[in-house]
Amino acid sequence: MEGDDEVGASAMIDESMSNGVESASPATAAMGEPMDVEAYAAMYTGRTKILRLLFIADKCDNEAMNLEALRMAYDEIKKGEDTSLHREVASKIRGRLGPKYNVDTAWVDSVEKRAILRKEKLENELNGYRTNLIKESIRMGYNDYGEFYYTHGLLSDAFKSYVRTRDYCTTSKHIVQMCMHVLLVSIELGQYTHVANYVSKAENTPDPLPAVTQAKLKCASGLAFLETKKYKLAARKFIETGYELGNNYSEVIAPQDVGLYGGLCALASFDRTELKTKVIDNVGFRNFLELVPEVRELINDFYASRYASCLEYLEKLKANLLLDIHLHEHVEALYTEIRHKAIIQYTVPFISVDLHNMADAFKTSVVGLEKELEALITNGQIQARIDSHNKILYARHADQRKATFQRVLQTGGEFEREVKSMLLRANLVKHEVTAKSGRKF
């Protein structure tokens, strides 16, 4: 089985390379340097590619990167039919890329005229299907409506159309298709309650799901948990994602993102044992980590107690992670959790710790480290006390002698109660004392 998994890993990496996706994520490949926007965008397709580019343009302070992202978004939009988004991008460019990147009124007029005709045709077809009461045709008609609205950026209308197909689904395949359409729109709308609901609906269909579909559902579920800050559940879903995913869900997520999101969430929420068994020794998830080598290395550094190196990797990754459309809101929370776990893990083996040595290990000042330790002690995450004068942390280990005596006394008390109960029962039997039921029939 392990050999098969490794073959699958090679296949996925080869597939990523052949589709123009670098083996290392552009968001992490050149740490501390500006993101390679073109390589990053190449990992995605459809509307998510455009939305990620616009997010980078809105968040980055680098003028050249800003214009590059807007230029690519403009060009990508012209391949579709979302005229509203086209106007929005043109207004953000503000003529800085020359007249070629202003609002293309001829293109807008042409797309909108075709949209009117297309909508009329879809409406007439759907009315005909309703009249004839052909369930499959009605389902396809609502699907076409949903695709039309989605293409033109009318996401709420697309969501309603896709949901309406539910009443006309006659097979498990139809239900799964409906769920995948709803998931796509819901993720873009940020309606993660719907994401969780429709993942469950798809997973509970009676027929077995293809491996690629299962991987897509794991990713969608992982994103839902990530957005609701349930990092441990998110980590589990990303880690469970099969390598069959490949580039088959590029309209939502890239395989590099699975390694990135799953790795960081696991580091922030898993204990040492889980990190070893579920991440480091997990052959399936290792395939995704190979695509983001910096995340793989910082996980290994953390497990090996090389905290300075781990935190240094994180700091260099931070600027580019803040440009990720799904991860940016969680970077600070994840980084705080990872740092606190590192500090706690550092103190566990020792009875006393010199704060000067510990500060050197974490590349920080003694004063700053002392404040962090105070907060962790106050929250009950570290059982210790600080000698502020000598700058030493003393662990508060439980008094084993006292704990042993307490357990002995407790066991003795329980034994005494049981013996008394047994003697009482024996005497009752000996003297034939019985209690009769007082029920009346």
Side-chain angles (χ1 to χ4, degrees), residues 64-82:
M65 187 187 296
N66 176 284
L67 290 175
E68 176 70 3
L70 289 173
R71 180 190 65 77
M72 293 182 66
Y74 184 98
D75 291 340
E76 192 67 26
I77 291 167
K78 291 287 289 289
K79 298 175 184 178
E81 297 182 339
D82 192 339

Side-chain angles (χ1 to χ4, degrees), residues 287-417:
N287 300 330
F288 293 106
L289 285 179
E290 290 298 326
L291 302 175
V292 278
E294 285 72 23
V295 177
R296 180 195 64 207
E297 291 305 316
L298 71 87
I299 289 173
N300 288 329
D301 283 343
F302 185 93
Y303 185 78
S305 301
R306 296 189 292 266
Y307 302 116
S309 176
C310 172
L311 297 174
E312 185 179 357
Y313 269 120
L314 284 171
E315 197 57 37
K316 289 179 178 179
L317 287 173
K318 190 172 184 179
N320 287 342
L321 295 183
L322 290 170
L323 299 179
D324 186 282
I325 196 168
H326 293 297
L327 202 60
H328 72 285
E329 289 184 349
H330 310 280
V331 171
E332 294 297 339
L334 289 170
Y335 272 42
T336 300
E337 287 298 319
I338 293 169
R339 184 174 179 84
H340 285 174
K341 279 188 65 182
I343 291 172
I344 293 167
Q345 191 169 295
Y346 185 96
T347 63
V348 167
F350 303 109
I351 296 174
S352 63
V353 180
D354 188 313
L355 295 188
H356 293 93
N357 294 337
M358 190 173 177
D360 290 340
F362 283 90
K363 302 294 184 184
T364 186
S365 66
V366 174
V367 175
L369 178 62
E370 196 170 341
K371 288 181 179 178
E372 288 185 89
L373 288 169
E374 287 172 2
L376 291 172
I377 292 170
T378 302
N379 294 333
Q381 293 178 269
I382 294 179
Q383 301 300 319
R385 58 186 176 84
I386 300 172
D387 182 345
S388 295
H389 179 70
N390 296 312
K391 303 301 180 185
I392 296 175
L393 179 75
Y394 292 101
R396 288 177 176 168
H397 294 295
D399 187 336
Q400 297 297 329
R401 181 185 175 89
K402 182 179 178 180
T404 301
F405 275 120
Q406 287 177 340
R407 285 199 299 272
V408 169
L409 289 171
Q410 183 181 354
T411 304
E414 292 173 356
F415 178 74
E416 183 181 3
R417 284 193 299 272

Side-chain angles (χ1 to χ4, degrees), residues 46-56 85 188 325:
R47 286 182 58 85
T48 194
K49 179 176 183 177
I50 298 167
L51 296 177
R52 285 174 181 266
L53 287 168
L54 292 179
F55 186 82
I56 291 171
L85 204 54
E188 287 194 28
I325 196 168

